[in-house]
Amino acid sequence: HGRYYEQTYRGNMFGITGGLTTTTAAGAATFTGLIVGNPVGSGVNLAINKIFISQPIALTAETELGIMYGANTTTDTLTTIRNRNPLGPASKCVANAGQTITAMTAFIVFAGSGSGAITVPLGINGFGYDFEGALIIPPGYALASYTSLASTTALLFTFNWEEVPIT
């Protein structure tokens, strides 16, 4: 079996992709980007597996790219979370592409990007990081896209995680 087969088969693997995300600089109170919140009382921890970022068009400024996480909750679901098993249950989490948040407390930067024009690319640069479950988002916390500077609609973020029941 593949590495994640059993947890996917059990309906515990989830993911989300935010299409052509506009971002605000980290630390801004009104956040624009991709955020997944684990509501208080969800009964699960999010074990983060993989994060991917793709830049299909030019950014308006050079920036660091990554994720941020901390105590936070999203207010409602505006972005669909998908179970990686189409027969599996709905996620216990919520996702949003823009809302007011409190400052995130931790940042993981794993790529950087310039602001030069992208003209007729043969392939779109993508960046990924495999956390292998080594980052946990407990109830009352959130995971969000991170850029050090505001950017235009130029980034695609994908988050993949396992929802592990708290016992």
Side-chain angles (χ1 to χ4, degrees), residues 27-105:
T30 303
F31 173 78
T32 305
L34 182 62
I35 186 169
V36 173
N38 188 358
V40 173
S42 70
V44 297
N45 281 327
L46 276 63
I48 306 303
N49 285 319
K50 296 178 181 7
I51 305 289
F52 299 100
I53 303 171
S54 179
Q55 179 191 342
I57 59 177
L59 295 171
T60 53
E62 296 176 6
T63 187
E64 297 171 342
L65 304 170
I67 59 163
M68 56 186 176
Y69 58 98
N72 237 304
T73 56
T74 58
T75 56
D76 54 18
T77 300
L78 296 177
T79 306
T80 303
I81 296 172
R82 303 275 184 213
N83 191 311
R84 295 305 187 203
N85 178 344
L87 301 176
S91 172
K92 306 265 191 223
C93 298
V94 293
N96 206 319
Q99 69 174 59
T100 300
I101 64 172
T102 56
M104 295 286 196
T105 57

